[in-house]
Amino acid sequence: MNKESKDKQKRIEEEEIESQEWLDSLDYVIDAGGVERAAKLIKKLQIHAQKRGARLHFTANTPYINTIPVEKQPPYPGDPQIEWTIRSLIRWNAMAMVVRANRLEEGIGGHISTFASAAALYEVAFNHFLRGRNESHEGDIVYFQGHASPGIYARAYLEGRLTIENLQNFRRDLQQEGGLTSYPHPWLMPNFWQFPTVSMGLSPIMAIYQARFNRYLEDRGLKKPSDAKVWTFLGDGETDEPETLGAITLASRENLDNLIFVVNCNLQRLDGPVRGNGKIIQELESIFRGAGWNVIKVIWGSNWDPLLSKDKDGILVKRMTEALDGDYQKYSVASGEYIRNHFFGTDPRLQDMVKNLSDTELQKLRRGGHDPEKIYPAFKAAVENIGSPTVILAKTIKGYGLGEAGEGRNITHQQKKLNEEELKLFKKRFDIPISDEDISRAPFYKPPDDSKEIKYLKERRHELGGYLPKREVICDPIKAPPEKLFEEFYKGSGKREVATTMAIVRMLAKLLKDKNIGRLIVPIVPDEARTFGMEALFRQVGIYSHVGQLYEPVDAETLLYYKEAIDGQILEEGITEAGSMSSFIAAGTAYATHGINTIPFFIYYSMFGFQRIGDLIWAAGDMRCKGFMIGGTAGRTTLAGEGLQHQDGHSHLLAYPIPNLKAYDPAFAYEIAVIIQDGIRRMYVEQEDLFYYITVMNETYKQPPMPQGVKEGILKGMYKFRDSQNKEAKLHAQLFGSGTILNEVLKAQEVLGDKYGVAADVWSVTSYKELYRDGLEKERWNMLHPSEIRRVPYITECVKNSPGVFVAASDYVMALPDSISQWLPRPLVSLGTDGFGRSASRKALRDFFEVDWRYIILAVLASLTWEKKIEPKIVEKAILDLDINPSKANPMIS
Ligand SMILES: Cc1ncc(C[n+]2csc(CCOP(=O)(O)OP(=O)(O)O)c2C)c(N)n1
Ligand SMILES: [Mg+2]
């Protein structure tokens, strides 16, 4: 040995002695002062070390074993044998449902392996935890993992809530007897599913805000305090979605101990392992612990307990912790011999530990998420936990029970077909009483009603308050706010210049004071209240905070100080449109979830709505959510200086596809008043399943009084706002304007009359979407009823006696007016704001996007030449007179 290696050896020996001395000292402290004293000491050491410059690596991880030790496990309260049989039958029927659907119709799809991995998690929950809603308890709220739906249907079949025909029609919604939707969809199964969860990541964020909203309802006295929980079942792959983890700190910050996440960690997603080279459970543990959640790991099944109890020097735990998820996935499909050599073979002491276990026994070592004895204590601890939300990380095998047909394989997520041999093995493994002759049909199996299994299952649900999932609307209609409340807006603003944003905020303030519905209004803002001039509401109704206001606000002396209160009404969400939309959904569906008619007003920067959180808006539609989404600072040229990423010229187009959403781009305060008043009536008095998107702007102008007889037109999408004053003119035009661009249209009307001899009528188009859908509806009816009197689209009816050319201008893309042009008697020229926005003054922007009064005049004159009513020379002169540059770049692509 040379000198260098001798020195190294010496150092190692010294370090070992030193470490041992420290450990002995710590042992002494533990023996003399207890573990708490030791923990304090370690904390002190940590601080001291940090002060001296030692950078300690932060880890929020605990060893890779169950959080609840075997000694702390409560006894299992149910009958394990009966529960196993029930679970097995549900597994079978869930699998059969998918297999049969694909026999009937190749490619219809369905998932077997998600539920196969989660069956025990769901069944322990169904038999012992999830409470149904009834007169004496409001019931728990459960978000079921979308791909596990076959298992949820299979259980409802045993419960007698679904029929064989229903199961046969899984994924065939259009069957006469009624199908079962692929995934949870309240729109299609409004008496069954409550929450659409299959767009991954949405259910966790919606659940967090739902749990918070439940607290809000309690703190505001709208619902009785309750120990009800919000349970969310999700996949480990699903945690990659930003929405899944993006709001978890809200849950801990708000101490939401009414919230429980159950992450089914089968270590696989669709294509392969979630973290082949790492460990998803450990990764999630550190994330959730770091965020302040109570984390409970359920990793190992009971048959690991004897091995762990032998593991005095921690080598087994060390090996468990160092093996990767990729390894564990391999063990789930490998032979006992492979497990012995590969997992236990790394250390002779480990090998020794399992020398008395056969290869088959090694193969059967179970994962915690398949073992009710381990799941039950975790759920119980979650339910009893106080002061923080809980996440249960349960380790399972994807496709559990499918054997060669998919268990643990990378292809398992897509597996929908089992051959006869595979069906036989499945049946044998789960002891399903079906004969070998019948097996190839994959028949459903339900024991007789008086069997001990069915009795047990029903009894358990009875005990827990009823069946789940169930969507039930028990909610009386509200008393509509009085007409009086809106009258001020019908009168106009006189000489005062007012923006529509100011008008809606004032309307909101008045609604909040209404004695019938004031309490039910839920204003929601993502850190944007001052942008919209809503700060007066801070003081009027307060900002909701579960703990009230623990500090003296910096602006306490001012009239409109930042007031937080336990019974505050505003949900000030901070900068999260996704979170705010989740609150909107919770409030807008409370009529079904809680039987409470809360009316959300979500006021946000329009640009950060549809294109950013469109998927949540789609989910809101599916959920039959109600309420008003108010897109503030809307319009591509109305918001002046903010530029390309703020100016919204397309949300109205993005609003088109959402079937139950009404979208309005009003110009005047009275239009908004009519829309809101009617919206409240339709959603909360008539109880229609609708919601609204209304854009408001920050450009101030005089709000005119409401002309006579226009209410219906406002709601249907258009009405004549002003006839031409030039009765002598030979030339005619019909001008459509929306939002603040209506003011440009009115100016164009004047100039056209005065200077160009064109009599132009002005129409306020409040909703192209309404006009478009009405047109489609009429066309469809006409196509299906060829011999009957043709129905005429509303827009056609409106303009049937209106002479001249048609020009439309809005602050949105041209596709909106273009969508209705087919129902006009003559061609339409659309002006709009296609292209990227710019920071500039409104005037410059409207010139750039070619939507100001000059371009409206140009469009009218150009149309008149195309109609051969005037000479092109007149247009050329107008271009000069109006100072329009014909060679300017096209805003659409510049
Ligand atoms: C937003 C979104 N993206 C993609 C999909 C398609 N998809 C369905 S299931 C799945 C894998 C699910 O993996 P995991 O969350 O681990 O669930 P498991 O089935 O393993 O329980 C994917 C990618 C989806 N449903 N939603
Ligand atoms: Mg998974």
Side-chain angles (χ1 to χ4, degrees):
M1 210 188 262
N2 62 23
K3 181 161 181 326
E4 207 177 309
S5 15
K6 268 192 198 159
D7 285 351
K8 196 173 165 197
Q9 182 64 27
K10 197 165 158 234
R11 260 201 323 276
I12 292 172
E13 280 164 19
E14 279 171 4
E15 270 182 21
E16 265 184 19
I17 294 168
E18 194 179 40
S19 301
Q20 197 51 52
E21 283 172 357
W22 277 75
L23 290 177
D24 290 345
S25 307
L26 188 67
D27 277 343
Y28 171 79
V29 175
I30 292 174
D31 294 341
V35 283
E36 275 169 22
R37 169 78 194 112
K40 271 191 198 156
L41 191 65
I42 293 168
K43 184 96 200 153
K44 267 199 167 166
L45 275 175
Q46 219 174 1
I47 295 168
H48 192 73
Q50 199 151 342
K51 276 190 186 157
R52 298 288 313 269
R55 288 276 162 267
L56 300 178
H57 174 68
F58 170 78
T59 172
N61 275 130
T62 63
Y64 196 60
I65 48 173
N66 296 346
T67 305
I68 299 173
V70 65
E71 323 74 79
K72 294 252 168 83
Q73 277 175 218
Y76 196 73
D79 181 326
Q81 190 52 46
I82 296 186
E83 288 188 19
W84 183 84
T85 309
I86 295 170
R87 196 159 69 239
S88 300
L89 294 175
I90 293 174
R91 283 178 186 286
W92 171 267
N93 287 329
M95 177 274 296
M97 202 184 310
V98 177
V99 169
R100 288 171 60 145
N102 282 278
R103 282 185 188 171
L104 276 168
E105 209 160 324
E106 174 83 25
I108 201 90
H111 298 88
I112 301 172
S113 57
T114 300
F115 180 72
S117 65
L121 296 170
Y122 281 115
E123 280 305 298
V124 172
F126 273 121
N127 283 321
H128 302 287
F129 292 94
L130 306 180
R131 288 161 301 177
R133 175 175 163 187
N134 58 30
E135 300 74 38
S136 53
H137 194 275
E138 67 173 66
D140 293 327
I141 290 173
V142 187
Y143 292 77
F144 294 97
Q145 192 185 350
H147 299 83
S149 61
I152 312 305
Y153 292 137
R155 167 165 255 273
Y157 168 59
L158 292 195
E159 290 167 344
R161 301 201 294 147
L162 294 177
T163 62
I164 280 221
E165 288 72 32
N166 292 143
L167 298 204
Q168 259 156 357
N169 289 334
F170 173 56
R171 288 194 164 225
R172 297 189 309 148
D173 298 337
L174 303 177
Q175 291 297 302
Q176 275 219 319
E177 317 85 76
L180 296 179
T181 58
S182 50
Y183 304 115
H185 294 303
W187 185 260
L188 301 174
M189 292 179 67
N191 302 321
F192 195 84
W193 294 116
Q194 291 180 289
F195 309 106
T197 53
V198 83
S199 175
M200 312 190 81
L202 299 193
S203 109
I205 192 168
M206 289 194 296
I208 290 172
Y209 283 86
Q210 178 75 59
R212 208 273 304 257
F213 188 70
N214 293 358
R215 282 280 166 76
Y216 168 93
L217 290 175
E218 290 171 9
D219 285 340
R220 290 200 46 229
L222 288 166
K223 112 176 162 58
K224 275 197 252 138
S226 148
D227 65 351
K229 304 285 177 195
V230 176
W231 291 78
T232 314
F233 291 84
L234 59 144
D236 49 356
E238 186 169 5
T239 62
D240 285 339
E241 289 286 359
E243 289 87 350
T244 304
L245 300 177
I248 60 171
T249 51
L250 173 96
S252 41
R253 194 161 68 238
E254 301 263 339
N255 304 328
L256 297 179
D257 52 18
N258 58 343
L259 178 66
I260 299 167
F261 274 15
V262 181
V263 188
N264 175 19
C265 298
N266 55 25
L267 316 187
Q268 287 180 245
R269 46 192 177 201
L270 193 153
D271 286 341
V274 178
R275 295 286 184 272
N277 292 318
K279 289 167 104 76
I280 188 65
I281 291 181
Q282 297 300 85
E283 184 178 324
L284 291 174
E285 175 185 42
S286 61
I287 292 169
F288 278 98
R289 285 189 80 202
W293 283 53
N294 172 37
V295 178
I296 304 176
K297 296 193 285 192
V298 183
I299 302 178
W300 309 108
S302 301
N303 48 10
W304 284 90
D305 286 338
L307 295 176
L308 282 162
S309 73
K310 280 197 238 167
D311 185 35
K312 298 293 178 224
D313 41 10
I315 46 165
L316 177 58
V317 174
K318 182 166 168 290
R319 179 68 188 120
M320 287 168 157
T321 308
E322 77 193 10
L324 300 170
D325 279 0
D327 296 324
Y328 284 113
Q329 188 188 346
K330 174 83 177 164
Y331 302 144
S332 72
V333 302
S335 66
E337 189 193 353
Y338 182 89
I339 297 168
R340 188 185 304 280
N341 294 336
H342 197 272
F343 182 78
F344 294 99
T346 52
D347 189 313
R349 290 170 294 177
L350 279 176
Q351 268 179 328
D352 197 45
M353 214 181 253
V354 291
K355 68 172 188 290
N356 295 330
L357 296 183
S358 69
D359 284 353
T360 317
E361 282 170 320
L362 284 187
Q363 232 180 354
K364 284 192 169 163
L365 284 171
R366 251 208 301 196
R367 296 195 179 168
H370 297 305
D371 187 348
E373 304 265 346
K374 298 292 181 191
I375 298 167
Y376 177 81
F379 285 2
K380 186 164 186 290
V383 165
E384 290 168 0
N385 180 56
I386 292 172
S388 63
T390 294
V391 59
I392 289 157
L393 303 171
K395 185 168 171 170
T396 61
I397 293 173
K398 190 147 177 167
Y400 188 68
L402 292 182
E404 298 280 322
E407 182 164 319
R409 322 271 148 158
N410 279 337
I411 51 86
T412 191
H413 191 83
Q414 307 285 69
Q415 178 62 286
K416 352 189 162 304
K417 294 176 184 164
L418 264 62
N419 62 32
E420 192 164 332
E421 207 41 46
E422 289 160 344
L423 287 170
K424 271 190 193 154
L425 287 171
F426 195 109
K427 168 193 107 126
K428 188 155 169 260
R429 177 158 177 182
F430 293 110
D431 199 14
I432 311 296
I434 291 174
S435 70
D436 275 353
E437 296 80 72
D438 281 349
I439 195 81
S440 61
R441 288 194 300 114
F444 298 121
Y445 181 79
K446 182 178 168 186
D449 280 348
D450 59 357
S451 64
K452 59 182 192 305
E453 288 81 16
I454 297 295
K455 277 192 181 145
Y456 181 93
L457 169 140
K458 289 189 169 172
E459 231 170 71
R460 292 306 313 143
R461 286 317 313 161
H462 181 71
E463 185 78 15
L464 287 161
Y467 294 114
L468 279 169
K470 187 167 72 172
R471 184 179 180 279
E472 200 177 17
V473 180
I474 314 171
C475 199
D476 293 331
I478 62 160
K479 196 161 177 290
E483 178 76 12
K484 196 165 87 251
L485 193 146
F486 300 96
E487 270 164 8
E488 143 186 5
F489 305 99
Y490 299 157
K491 287 189 188 128
S493 62
K495 291 214 169 65
R496 250 174 15 106
E497 300 214 325
V498 175
T500 47
T501 306
M502 291 149 86
I504 203 158
V505 171
R506 173 139 181 84
M507 223 173 289
L508 190 56
K510 291 182 89 170
L511 284 166
L512 282 160
K513 285 185 190 146
D514 181 75
K515 68 175 190 316
N516 290 316
I517 67 161
R519 271 162 59 79
L520 298 172
I521 308 277
V522 183
I524 303 165
V525 280
D527 195 32
E528 215 70 75
R530 290 183 203 278
T531 313
F532 306 125
M534 289 172 64
E535 56 271 41
L537 296 184
F538 288 169
R539 181 64 208 285
Q540 183 187 328
V541 292
I543 295 162
Y544 170 68
S545 157
H546 183 57
V547 294
Q549 192 153 38
L550 306 176
Y551 60 96
E552 186 183 337
V554 65
D555 51 3
E557 271 92 82
T558 64
L559 191 64
L560 304 178
Y561 74 94
Y562 195 84
K563 178 183 161 193
E564 299 196 55
I566 296 179
D567 61 352
Q569 199 159 348
I570 299 171
L571 288 172
E572 164 64 89
E573 299 296 12
I575 311 164
T576 165
E577 283 74 17
S580 304
M581 189 65 204
S582 300
S583 278
F584 178 86
I585 291 173
T589 53
Y591 72 95
T593 319
H594 296 292
I596 302 170
N597 275 312
T598 37
I599 308 172
F601 279 77
F602 170 27
I603 300 123
Y604 62 99
Y605 227 115
S606 194
M607 187 66 159
F608 308 129
F610 281 82
Q611 66 178 11
R612 187 171 187 124
I613 52 159
D615 204 11
L616 278 163
I617 300 173
W618 185 254
D622 189 347
M623 275 171 83
R624 298 164 180 266
C625 180
K626 302 179 183 187
F628 296 98
M629 296 174 63
I630 309 293
T633 49
R636 188 106 67 207
T637 68
T638 305
L639 180 64
E642 293 291 314
L644 184 154
Q645 220 156 38
H646 282 73
Q647 293 162 328
D648 179 12
H650 49 276
S651 282
H652 273 292
L653 187 62
L654 301 179
Y656 263 45
I658 296 157
N660 47 349
L661 177 79
K662 299 205 160 275
Y664 287 95
D665 179 17
F668 300 129
Y670 67 78
E671 295 177 348
I672 299 176
V674 170
I675 295 161
I676 298 267
Q677 188 182 12
D678 193 62
I680 292 176
R681 178 189 66 79
R682 290 186 69 169
M683 294 187 287
Y684 293 96
V685 181
E686 308 299 333
Q687 301 193 310
E688 288 183 60
D689 293 338
L690 296 173
F691 64 131
Y692 284 71
Y693 169 58
I694 303 170
T695 40
V696 290
M697 279 79 56
N698 59 356
E699 184 174 350
T700 55
Y701 42 88
K702 290 185 192 103
Q703 299 291 335
M706 179 161 72
Q708 283 291 316
V710 299
K711 278 190 179 175
E712 193 190 337
I714 292 172
L715 298 170
K716 285 181 146 181
M718 75 187 285
Y719 64 94
K720 174 90 72 69
F721 177 72
R722 188 174 291 165
D723 273 323
S724 162
Q725 300 307 306
N726 187 342
K727 303 290 176 206
E728 313 294 297
K730 300 246 163 26
L731 301 169
H732 295 276
Q734 302 301 318
L735 308 181
F736 298 167
S738 310
T740 62
I741 299 298
L742 185 58
N743 293 313
E744 300 288 338
V745 175
L746 289 167
K747 168 122 196 240
Q749 178 192 37
E750 237 178 83
V751 181
L752 278 165
D754 294 348
K755 288 215 174 135
Y756 296 95
V758 181
D761 300 330
V762 171
W763 300 77
S764 174
V765 176
T766 50
S767 175
Y768 281 108
K769 184 175 178 184
E770 282 299 300
L771 297 176
Y772 178 64
R773 287 171 59 116
D774 168 76
L776 292 181
E777 171 71 36
K778 302 279 167 55
E779 291 281 28
R780 177 177 176 276
W781 193 91
N782 293 335
M783 199 165 65
L784 292 168
H785 303 86
S787 309
E788 300 192 39
I789 299 170
R790 263 185 91 101
R791 289 188 178 169
V792 182
Y794 172 67
I795 180 167
T796 313
E797 191 66 42
C798 281
V799 300
K800 69 176 180 214
N801 297 322
S802 306
V805 295
F806 288 95
V807 171
S810 86
D811 218 3
Y812 287 82
V813 290
M814 293 174 233
L816 293 175
D818 286 346
S819 72
I820 51 88
S821 63
Q822 54 188 311
W823 297 299
L824 295 175
R826 291 175 298 282
L828 170 76
V829 176
S830 299
L831 302 177
T833 56
D834 293 62
F836 283 123
R838 297 286 196 284
S839 304
S841 67
R842 285 190 187 114
K843 187 163 180 287
L845 283 168
R846 287 173 188 169
D847 172 47
F848 175 78
F849 280 107
E850 303 167 10
V851 291
D852 65 16
W853 60 276
R854 299 171 311 145
Y855 282 92
I856 297 165
I857 292 173
L858 174 62
V860 167
L861 298 178
S863 303
L864 286 168
T865 48
W866 299 330
E867 299 271 314
K868 308 252 182 292
K869 298 273 196 292
I870 59 172
E871 291 297 314
K873 270 190 294 193
I874 299 178
V875 190
E876 269 176 25
K877 181 163 185 320
I879 290 176
L880 281 177
D881 291 348
L882 296 168
D883 197 19
I884 288 172
N885 171 11
S887 48
K888 93 187 246 297
N890 186 349
M892 186 166 68
I893 46 162
S894 56

